[in-house]
Amino acid sequence: MTVKEAPARADLAATDDIGWAVRLLAATPTHEHRDPELLHRWARAADAFGAALAPVECRARIVERDGGLELGLLARYTSRPPTVELYTDTIDLAERVVDARGWRAWYPPGSVRAAALAHEAVHVHLHHGTAKAALKHALGHSALRLGRLRVPGHVAGAEEVAAHAYARTVCGLGRSPLLLTAALAAETETETETETENGSVTGSTPPPARDARREN
């Protein structure tokens, strides 16, 4: 798979990091009819929460393999045994997309792998530690109110936004990995369309639209 010149039709960098976070939340099931202002508030809160987290050590075993483009993944965490899988083919494509779009100042060499690993490490932290409750509190969403009693609610997609913000911060990136994820999706979509027009494929290749899929 080769990287073509960045499509002029998609000036992805014109959307800021919070804008991409809002888009992620809006595309998440249960949020289809949410007020855009509410999604924006949640996106800002989740981004700020992730950016403020202290560095988290990855204690899981790290395995590098290809096959990520077919799955649409940069990385994945599995819990039995605790393992972070890094998909080298998707990471390599991401590095080439960075060069093709002139984003190297935002994503230094090697930073895609580092960000994917950081993303997975903080997902484990948010999923199993006290930080999960802290994120709910930061979002301010209530699942139930009984008088003065408030039960914090889960906001689907907020953990993903926080993980991207964390990776951006600890890896010193100029932009969120969410922007690069969108560029990867655009790249694979463009190549699939080209191959389909040439009659070389019969289906569509799932774009790497997410950095992680956890299997617990």
Side-chain angles (χ1 to χ4, degrees), residues 1-4 69 74 87-117 171 173 177 180-181 183-184 187 208 211:
M1 183 175 287
T2 59
V3 177
K4 303 181 183 301
L69 291 173
L74 272 166
Y87 291 97
T88 55
D89 55 342
T90 313
I91 291 172
D92 289 345
L93 175 60
E95 292 284 3
R96 298 198 300 275
V97 167
V98 168
D99 285 330
R101 289 183 176 266
W103 293 348
R104 188 52 73 188
W106 292 336
Y107 305 100
S111 63
V112 176
R113 182 187 184 280
L117 187 58
C171 295
L173 306 181
L180 185 52
T181 297
L184 277 169
E187 178 63 32
D211 287 82

Side-chain angles (χ1 to χ4, degrees), residues 148-168:
R148 299 175 63 182
L149 175 66
R150 185 180 75 85
V151 178
H154 172 70
V155 176
E159 183 181 312
E160 192 73 8
V161 173
H164 280 297
Y166 169 83
R168 179 191 67 219

Side-chain angles (χ1 to χ4, degrees), residues 159-212:
E159 183 181 312
E160 192 73 8
V161 173
H164 280 297
Y166 169 83
R168 179 191 67 219
T169 303
V170 298
C171 295
L173 306 181
R175 290 292 305 267
S176 169
L178 274 170
L179 172 61
L180 185 52
T181 297
L184 277 169
E187 178 63 32
T188 54
E189 180 183 356
T190 298
E191 291 206 351
T192 298
E193 289 174 353
T194 301
E195 291 173 354
T196 302
E197 290 172 359
N198 293 335
S200 59
V201 293
T202 57
S204 60
T205 302
R210 294 183 297 176
D211 287 82

